[in-house]
Amino acid sequence: MTRRRRQFSPEFKEEAVRMVLDGERTVASVAREFGINAGTLGSWVNRHRIVHGQDAQPVSGPERARIRELERENAELREKLAFLKKAAAFFAAENR
C-alpha cells in the first residue's frame, strides 16, 4: 500500500514557522502541536531564514567572548598542526 504525501498550504507553513521564530517554542513542540514531523518543520524554518536573510539569534556579550576565545584557540591548534605535519614530513624524509 502506498502512502500519499500530505500537502500543506503556504499559510499553514508560515503560521508554523512564525510560532517557532516569534515565540520561545522549539521546533519539536510546535511540530507536535501541528501533528507534523519535526524535520519537516525544521526545514521550513531553515528555508524561511535563508529566503528572508535572517541569521540565528543575536549573540550576547558572554557568548561573543567565548566565541572569540574558541577562535583564538582554533587558530593556535591549526598552527600546531601545521608544525607537526612539517615535522612528520621532515622525519619521514630523513628515514628513507
Side-chain angles (χ1 to χ4, degrees):
M1 176 187 265
T2 60
R3 289 183 53 168
R4 186 176 160 106
R5 273 183 63 184
R6 290 175 36 184
Q7 300 272 329
F8 300 103
S9 70
E11 294 82 17
F12 178 85
K13 292 178 181 180
E14 187 66 28
E15 181 180 351
V17 168
R18 290 219 180 276
M19 287 183 74
V20 172
L21 295 177
D22 294 342
E24 300 214 0
R25 309 221 7 229
T26 64
V27 170
S29 68
V30 174
R32 268 193 306 274
E33 182 178 325
F34 279 93
I36 59 176
N37 187 304
T40 302
L41 179 56
S43 67
W44 295 348
V45 170
N46 289 336
R47 188 174 311 129
H48 182 273
R49 286 181 173 149
I50 291 169
V51 168
H52 293 90
Q54 293 177 328
D55 290 330
Q57 298 291 331
V59 181
S60 67
E63 291 172 337
R64 186 171 290 124
R66 178 72 177 142
I67 290 171
R68 271 196 307 268
E69 177 186 332
L70 291 171
E71 287 173 343
R72 194 173 23 248
E73 181 181 350
N74 192 9
E76 180 183 326
L77 291 171
R78 285 180 190 270
E79 288 177 12
K80 289 180 180 179
L81 178 62
F83 173 79
L84 291 173
K85 283 182 178 180
K86 290 176 184 176
F90 174 77
F91 287 116
E94 190 176 273
N95 290 332
R96 285 186 183 176

